[in-house]
Amino acid sequence: MALLTLAEAKAQLDITTTTHDTELQAYVDAIDEVIEGIIGPVTVREFTEQVDGRGPTLSLLRAPAISLTSFTPVLDGGPTLDVAQLHLNGALGEVRRKDGACFIGGPWMAVYQAGRAPVSPTINISGRILLQHWWRTQYGAARGNVGGADDFDVNEPVAGWGYAIPNRVLQLLEPFKTGPGVA
């Protein structure tokens, strides 16, 4: 399931023709990347990464994680761990052994699914607002101020983001941020 579809983007902008479909699709794709940069994966997909460390918990780079597909040793002769022997705390992206033992002898190659299914309506609305903001900056008054007044009336810069991401989008996404991983 996508964070935002082309049909939803067109509905948000009150566009009924196909004239801007290619351009709008580029915006939709960029919105996925930006929002996922803030809150982690939204669109469910498979990730493969090397996981290293010792101790009772290993952390995946992307959360929320939905399921582990495989967890295999990178080095020949390393300990093999069946995913049935592992517990995944998906919200944090943490992997623990069910037997309580510590991880030793890695690194491991983890293959897993991460994202959010279904996509929260709040995340979808955040994507719509971001799209509306970006579209308005491109077309401004020529598009009838889609969604309100000009940028400077309602959006103050946030350190590091400027006006690319309005405060209202960041505020809506705040509850979906995951904590920092433990290496």
Side-chain angles (χ1 to χ4, degrees), residues 108-170:
W108 293 271
M109 191 60 62
V111 179
Y112 62 99
Q113 297 281 319
R116 292 167 166 85
V119 174
S120 163
T122 304
I123 295 172
N124 178 272
I125 290 296
S126 298
R128 290 173 185 242
I129 292 169
L130 185 55
L131 169 74
Q132 193 171 5
H133 173 73
W134 286 353
W135 195 255
R136 185 175 55 205
T137 61
Q138 180 177 353
Y139 291 100
R143 301 289 293 169
N145 281 331
V146 174
D150 69 52
D151 277 81
F152 303 102
D153 290 347
V154 295
N155 299 305
E156 297 178 19
V158 175
W161 291 105
Y163 286 98
I165 302 176
N167 285 339
R168 67 184 75 165
V169 171
L170 295 172

Side-chain angles (χ1 to χ4, degrees), residues 42 48 54 58 69 71 75 78 80-81 87 108 112 117 140 175-176:
V42 175
T48 301
R54 298 189 186 285
L58 296 178
T69 305
F71 205 81
L75 305 173
T80 299
L81 297 171
H87 170 74
W108 293 271
Y112 62 99
F176 299 96

